[in-house]
Amino acid sequence: MAAADEIYITVKGKGGHAASPHLLIDPVIIAAHLLTALQQVSSRRNKPGQPMVLSFGRVIADGATNVIPDSVRIEGTLRTFDEAWRTQLHSLLPEMARNLARSMGGDVDFEILTGSGVVVNEPALTARMREAAVDYVGADNVIDMDIRMGAEDFGTYSQVMPACFFRLGTGNPAKPGTTSGLHRAEFDIDEDALAIGAGMMAWGAVTELGR
Amino acid sequence: MHPELSFQEHGTVAFVADVLKAEGIEVREGVGRLTPEAKGTGLIAVVRGEAAPSDRCFALRADLDALPITEVGKDTYRSTNTGVMHACGHDAHTAMVLGAGLLLHRMRKEWSGTVMLVFQPGEEKEPGGASLLVKEGPPRSRTIRDPGATRHAGASDRQTRFPFRCFHGRCG
């Protein structure tokens, strides 16, 4: 699971009548340039093979067909796996946005809210937990998962102590309604997974602590 | 069925506390404070193994909070709190850590050491509940005694510790 930071940008221009762009600084067009230009960081500045996602899911230019607004709000999320690169991005992204906006006569307020850190599965502990899981649910039911760009507050613990984050499958195609994705109104689980999860955690604790 | 948003998990954590206390498990309530004055909606419980003396400690973590989504579906345990829903399975996480805790407590004569059950508030928010709990406890790991071992290489030794040592002074 990735480190996740929230990004809040206000693109500042000078609004007015949309028919007189020469008298204004149009923040909507600056915002459009920004959205595409910042992706250049993912494709050109990021080291190939290193996971990175920069997504903006909220863009508000609250003008009208004939009104250019004074500012545009852009909000998004930054997902990374490398702490040094993450830190570097925290200055690289604002710098790029500022230079770009200024080159067009505008400016930006660029705020990054640092979120949870990357989830580090400590290798030795994770290997032992994997063995415990194979003992408990059988080798056929234990798989190694790819990295995911989702974030988990659990990362904060994994920064200060050896930790292991495992996922428990709770969807069952044989039980309708249990295969929806997370954060959806239809989300539900196969409750048979609860006993397996509880047992697995107890078993993991006992194997790690000893009898 | 009674989901609550981040840092408002009062009913949820009270339920967890009741179940644990009824079982005779020691709990520390009110952890995970957003502000110094706030009542934290997190809880840390301690289950002790009795098979042999051991200072080893292991933690299991659950998160308590729900999301601002109106749940659909027919199940009898659908949210009764309109506009709030456990769409990320934190109710399942909480039930499982609670279950693991009861299991370990009832089998305490068969294992050694200490298990901490960590029920954290506000997983879905920034700053998340984890950072609050880590801040309230000693903010560093007491993992390694052997100064020659690196954190990663040394973690297979028998001195892995959980940092919330202030709980009763017996766990690290």
Side-chain angles (χ1 to χ4, degrees), chain A residues 95-148:
Chain A
E95 189 185 301
M96 183 175 196
R98 195 165 297 119
N99 287 337
L100 191 77
R102 283 180 185 169
S103 77
M104 300 179 191
D107 208 342
V108 291
D109 285 335
F110 201 109
E111 190 192 342
I112 298 180
L113 186 63
T114 302
S116 53
V118 61
V119 173
V120 181
N121 265 6
E122 198 280 321
L125 172 64
T126 302
R128 295 197 300 276
M129 283 299 114
R130 192 186 195 289
E131 275 175 40
V134 167
D135 281 349
Y136 194 73
V137 296
D140 290 349
N141 294 312
V142 180
I143 55 169
D144 297 306
M145 298 191 73
D146 272 344
I147 59 159
R148 299 166 78 102

Side-chain angles (χ1 to χ4, degrees), chain B residues 84-148:
Chain B
V84 183
M85 167 191 178
H86 273 297
C88 203
H90 295 189
D91 51 347
H93 299 166
T94 298
M96 289 188 285
V97 171
L98 206 47
L102 298 188
L103 208 56
L104 287 162
H105 184 67
R106 290 174 193 179
M107 297 175 69
R108 60 191 178 279
K109 298 210 181 318
E110 298 177 41
W111 56 277
S112 311
T114 303
V115 173
M116 286 203 180
L117 312 174
V118 178
F119 297 91
Q120 76 156 81
E123 194 278 332
E124 302 283 0
K125 286 279 184 189
E126 296 294 350
S131 64
L132 302 178
L133 295 197
V134 168
K135 243 180 258 167
E136 287 169 18
R140 64 195 166 79
S141 170
R142 302 179 68 249
T143 309
I144 299 302
R145 271 186 207 150
D146 175 4

Side-chain angles (χ1 to χ4, degrees), chain A:
Chain A
M1 308 289 279
D5 302 316
E6 292 176 2
I7 297 181
Y8 299 91
I9 308 170
T10 303
V11 182
K12 297 184 290 187
K14 179 170 176 278
H17 201 298
S20 307
H22 60 296
L23 302 176
L24 319 174
I25 304 290
D26 185 347
V28 182
I29 296 298
I30 298 175
H33 277 280
L34 261 183
L35 287 170
T36 47
L38 289 173
Q39 290 306 320
Q40 186 262 6
V41 176
S42 293
S43 73
R44 302 288 88 180
R45 304 294 292 270
N46 183 45
K47 187 176 163 192
Q50 174 168 264
M52 169 183 171
V53 169
L54 179 64
S55 291
F56 293 100
R58 189 171 161 88
V59 180
I60 303 168
D62 198 15
T65 54
N66 57 357
V67 177
I68 303 291
D70 279 326
S71 65
V72 173
R73 183 75 167 164
I74 303 176
E75 299 179 3
T77 183
L78 171 66
R79 306 295 168 102
T80 50
F81 269 84
D82 181 90
E83 280 297 324
W85 175 232
R86 180 191 192 188
T87 308
Q88 215 177 321
L89 284 168
H90 284 196
S91 52
L92 213 157
L93 293 171
E95 189 185 301
M96 183 175 196
R98 195 165 297 119
N99 287 337
L100 191 77
R102 283 180 185 169
S103 77
M104 300 179 191
D107 208 342
V108 291
D109 285 335
F110 201 109
E111 190 192 342
I112 298 180
L113 186 63
T114 302
S116 53
V118 61
V119 173
V120 181
N121 265 6
E122 198 280 321
L125 172 64
T126 302
R128 295 197 300 276
M129 283 299 114
R130 192 186 195 289
E131 275 175 40
V134 167
D135 281 349
Y136 194 73
V137 296
D140 290 349
N141 294 312
V142 180
I143 55 169
D144 297 306
M145 298 191 73
D146 272 344
I147 59 159
R148 299 166 78 102
M149 299 312 288
E152 236 305 329
D153 200 24
F154 189 83
T156 306
Y157 302 110
S158 77
Q159 304 287 331
V160 296
M161 73 191 82
C164 173
F165 185 84
F166 69 88
R167 297 179 76 95
L168 177 75
T170 59
N172 182 353
K175 296 193 181 174
T178 66
T179 56
S180 157
L182 291 169
H183 291 216
R184 292 183 55 85
E186 307 81 27
F187 178 73
D188 194 9
I189 66 165
D190 177 355
E191 286 201 306
D192 288 348
L194 292 173
I196 298 168
M200 177 57 223
M201 283 192 279
W203 178 243
V206 169
T207 37
E208 192 64 14
L209 291 171
R211 300 184 181 214

